[in-house]
Amino acid sequence: MATLDQCRAALDRLAQNLSSADGNVRRAAAFDRSLSCRITDLDVTFLGRLSEGSIQEVTSVPGPPPHKAEIRLSMAGDDLLALVDGKLNFAKAWGSGRVKLEAGLRDLLRLRTLL
């Protein structure tokens, strides 16, 4: 089972990957939305903002998110690590229910380039 520190490091790597991306990926991430990532097996939620092509202001809180973010992810810690490391395909994980993504339709259409 992934630890809290490993999950935080994975989110930091994801933020770095987004900030150094170019082309369609950079354009898809270049909007301003609140973001939450619930790690179900650790009972913790990471909160932040997807802004200027990067994930910023990341904090963690115990339990479920204190407010409804515009983009909401939920998964096990091991799945977060596998996604960021490229070992787990997001579409397959989403389709099988291992990863949950909730967002408005417009945001989902923009995020498809990232995911």
Side-chain angles (χ1 to χ4, degrees), residues 6-69:
Q6 289 173 316
C7 290
R8 175 61 192 233
L11 287 172
D12 289 343
R13 283 194 316 274
L14 179 59
Q16 178 62 37
N17 292 346
L18 287 175
S19 66
S20 64
D22 58 1
N24 291 338
V25 172
R26 181 75 174 175
R27 281 190 295 279
F31 60 114
D32 187 32
R33 295 289 185 269
S34 59
L35 177 69
S36 69
C37 182
R38 174 115 168 95
I39 307 300
T40 55
D41 56 337
L42 296 177
D43 193 29
V44 68
T45 302
F46 289 94
L47 305 168
R49 292 207 67 80
L50 182 60
S51 180
E52 299 178 16
S54 182
I55 301 171
Q56 303 175 2
E57 305 169 22
V58 177
T59 60
S60 63
V61 295
H67 61 279
K68 187 175 177 180

